[in-house]
Amino acid sequence: MAVQDNVIPEWRLNRTIDELRDRAKRTMILGAMTVGAGAVASILTYASSVRDLALPVAIVVVLAGGVVLMVGTRRWVTAHDRAVQELSASAA
C-alpha cells in the first residue's frame, strides 16, 4: 500500500516536465541571443575607434552567453529527473 501512495500521476509529471523545459528553453534563447550580440559587437569593434576596450568586452559577453546557454541546455536535459525529484519531495 505504501508503494501506491508515492505514485506520481503521469499527467502531473508531464506537465511539470513541460514547465521545466519551457524555463530551460527561455534560458537557452537568452544565452543564444547574448552570444549573438557579443559576436556582432566583436565584429563591429574592428570598425570602431574604441577597439582596445570593446573587443575584450565583446569576448566576455560571448563567453557569458555561452555559459548561460550551457546552463539552459543542462536544465533541458535534466528536466525529467528534476520533475520526478520535485514531485516526490512534495508528495512526501
Side-chain angles (χ1 to χ4, degrees):
M1 191 65 147
V3 173
Q4 297 270 335
D5 294 338
N6 292 332
V7 173
I8 300 169
E10 187 173 351
W11 64 269
R12 183 175 289 165
L13 180 63
N14 289 338
R15 185 180 66 189
T16 306
I17 290 170
D18 288 343
E19 289 171 0
L20 291 172
R21 285 194 173 153
D22 283 342
R23 284 189 228 151
K25 190 186 325 179
R26 285 189 292 263
T27 304
M28 289 189 293
I29 290 170
L30 178 67
M33 287 174 51
T34 306
V35 168
V40 168
S42 66
I43 291 169
L44 293 177
T45 58
Y46 286 110
S48 172
S49 61
V50 290
R51 186 181 311 174
D52 294 337
L53 174 66
L55 187 59
V57 170
I59 291 171
V60 168
V61 169
V62 169
L63 292 175
V67 169
V68 172
L69 189 58
M70 182 180 64
V71 168
T73 305
R74 182 178 178 274
R75 287 181 180 172
W76 177 275
V77 171
T78 61
H80 182 272
D81 295 333
R82 290 184 301 125
V84 169
Q85 184 180 19
E86 182 179 309
L87 292 174
S88 296
S90 65

